[in-house]
Structures are given as C-alpha cells and as structure tokens.
Amino acid sequence: MYALITGASKGIGKMIAEQLAKKNINVLLLARSEELLKENVTSIKEKYEVEADYLVIDLSADGAAKKVYEWCVEKKY
C-alpha cells in the first residue's frame, strides 16, 4: 500500500509524508522541485523502513493526472 502526497517538497505535504512514513506507510511524493523531492525521499528511506519514490510534476498542467496514473501503473504502485 502506498500513500500519494502532493506538494511533498516542503511545508504541510512534507510533514504529511513524514508522518505517514513514521506509521510504516510507503509514500509517493509529488511536487515541482526535483532537488527537494530527492532529499525528502532519501531522508524518509534513511529514517523509516518504508518504500519512498517521487515524481516531479506540475499538477496544474494539462494531462498531469494521466501522467501520475501512468507513472503509478508503470512502477506497479
């Protein structure tokens, strides 16, 4: 099972991802900032025994929901 968190590069999204990982829930992080997402995934994997991955995406862009869906299917999440 995975939780998909948007806006996960900083702020509330980042904190939600941390809290879910703390509860042993695998997380998928979405945001526009690749560098921050990479850092957050690395940190979560080091602190908690969960799977974590990220997708750099602007959810306001046309077709963004389809891209997220296709990414999840491709990665078998």
Side-chain angles (χ1 to χ4, degrees):
M1 177 171 65
Y2 287 83
L4 189 142
I5 301 101
T6 62
S9 60
K10 57 187 174 183
I12 294 172
K14 180 181 177 183
M15 294 286 85
I16 290 171
E18 286 270 342
Q19 291 301 309
L20 290 169
K22 194 177 198 178
K23 294 181 179 188
N24 205 35
I25 297 171
N26 300 319
V27 293
L28 304 174
L29 311 183
L30 277 60
R32 295 177 294 173
S33 175
E34 184 166 12
E35 188 174 321
L36 292 174
L37 285 173
K38 278 184 184 180
E39 290 174 12
N40 293 346
V41 164
T42 300
S43 175
I44 285 171
K45 285 181 174 182
E46 288 174 355
K47 289 181 186 177
Y48 312 103
E49 293 183 21
V50 297
E51 294 293 320
D53 200 357
Y54 71 92
L55 176 66
V56 177
I57 192 162
D58 180 348
L59 292 174
S60 68
D62 289 340
K66 184 177 179 184
K67 288 178 185 174
V68 171
Y69 172 77
E70 289 170 349
W71 176 71
C72 289
V73 168
E74 178 185 316
K75 298 276 195 159
K76 297 181 181 173
Y77 292 134

